[in-house]
Amino acid sequence: MEIVPEDRDNIIIDLFWERNEAALELTAKHYGRFVFLVCYNILRQKQDSEECQSTTYMKTWDRIPPERPKSLKAFLARVARATSIDHLRGKTRLKRNRGFVESLDDYSEFLSDDCSVSDELEAKELAAILNRFLSSLKDSEQICFVKRYYFNIPVNEISREMRIPRSTVYAMLDSIKTRLKILLKEEGYL
């Protein structure tokens, strides 16, 4: 009998709850490549990505429990992404990375670590607005947007994976950003 990914995730999460170190081994076995790629797409350096991959496993160990994620893969992506961004910010404090870190600075008011209850409520409201916006996009636009702005995948790679010209990817992303900016202004966030 083959274990389906959803069952496998529940087994791994249960092991985390039991504080069984096999959870880390299974996570690395089934999600190691994925976690590494999330880190690498942000850091673009093998050694740093491997370091953040290991840190991601330890942070996951610390966060489960009390959290019980619905999707282990999405949870790992979120932790790996935040870990990599923190690592990148630490490395670029003196020498700014002109790409990813500066684009994050545009949204720094939404990404602040010092959150009050009202900040958390506002963040949830913003998340709901973004989710509605993303669900209104065509599938190809959603995929392109998430690959570029969540996973930081280069446009060339998105173009190759989606089998569309780079110029189409750039035009699609520009159109999405324009529509998102209009929505955020209407909602009072910009």
Side-chain angles (χ1 to χ4, degrees):
M1 181 170 123
E2 187 175 323
I3 297 175
V4 293
E6 189 175 293
D7 291 339
R8 179 185 62 220
D9 285 2
N10 287 330
I11 290 168
I12 294 171
I13 291 168
D14 287 344
L15 289 170
F16 274 111
W17 274 83
E18 294 168 8
R19 290 310 203 198
N20 186 327
E21 290 185 15
L24 295 171
E25 294 169 25
L26 288 172
T27 301
K29 177 182 175 185
H30 293 288
Y31 293 106
R33 179 169 159 63
F34 171 75
V35 170
F36 175 82
L37 287 173
V38 169
C39 297
Y40 187 82
N41 283 334
I42 293 169
L43 299 169
R44 300 283 178 212
Q45 189 177 37
K46 185 178 184 235
Q47 186 175 356
D48 288 349
S49 299
E50 289 170 343
E51 182 181 326
C52 285
Q53 180 183 26
S54 295
T55 303
T56 296
Y57 299 146
M58 296 317 298
K59 285 183 176 182
T60 301
W61 179 265
D62 292 340
R63 293 181 184 171
I64 303 176
E67 284 187 64
R68 186 168 189 96
K70 291 179 184 172
S71 166
L72 182 59
K73 187 173 186 178
F75 185 85
L76 290 167
R78 188 179 69 194
V79 173
R81 187 172 185 276
T83 300
S84 298
I85 291 169
D86 288 346
H87 185 84
L88 185 62
R89 280 187 173 139
K91 282 188 75 165
T92 59
R93 207 158 266 141
L94 298 174
K95 178 183 144 191
R96 302 290 271 169
N97 178 320
R98 298 201 72 71
F100 193 60
V101 173
E102 286 182 3
S103 71
L104 284 176
D105 287 343
D106 294 341
Y107 304 100
S108 60
E109 65 188 83
F110 305 119
L111 301 174
S112 173
D113 284 341
D114 302 327
C115 290
S116 66
V117 172
S118 65
D119 291 337
E120 286 185 35
L121 291 172
E122 189 172 320
K124 285 182 181 181
E125 181 182 313
L126 178 60
I129 291 167
L130 292 173
N131 285 332
R132 278 195 311 275
F133 174 75
L134 285 172
S135 65
S136 74
L137 300 176
K138 296 181 214 168
D139 287 347
S140 59
E141 291 176 321
Q142 285 180 8
I143 292 167
C144 197
F145 185 85
V146 170
K147 282 180 180 278
R148 181 68 187 122
Y149 296 112
Y150 188 80
F151 290 109
N152 199 38
I153 295 174
V155 170
N156 289 341
E157 196 172 320
I158 295 170
S159 170
R160 189 179 72 248
E161 288 175 6
M162 296 181 71
R163 295 188 175 116
I164 56 177
R166 267 189 351 205
S167 59
T168 303
V169 175
Y170 279 116
M172 191 184 303
L173 291 172
D174 190 51
S175 170
I176 294 167
K177 285 193 305 188
T178 300
R179 289 181 280 164
L180 179 56
K181 191 176 242 181
I182 290 168
L183 175 64
L184 291 176
K185 279 183 184 176
E186 288 172 356
E187 296 289 339
Y189 283 95
L190 293 178

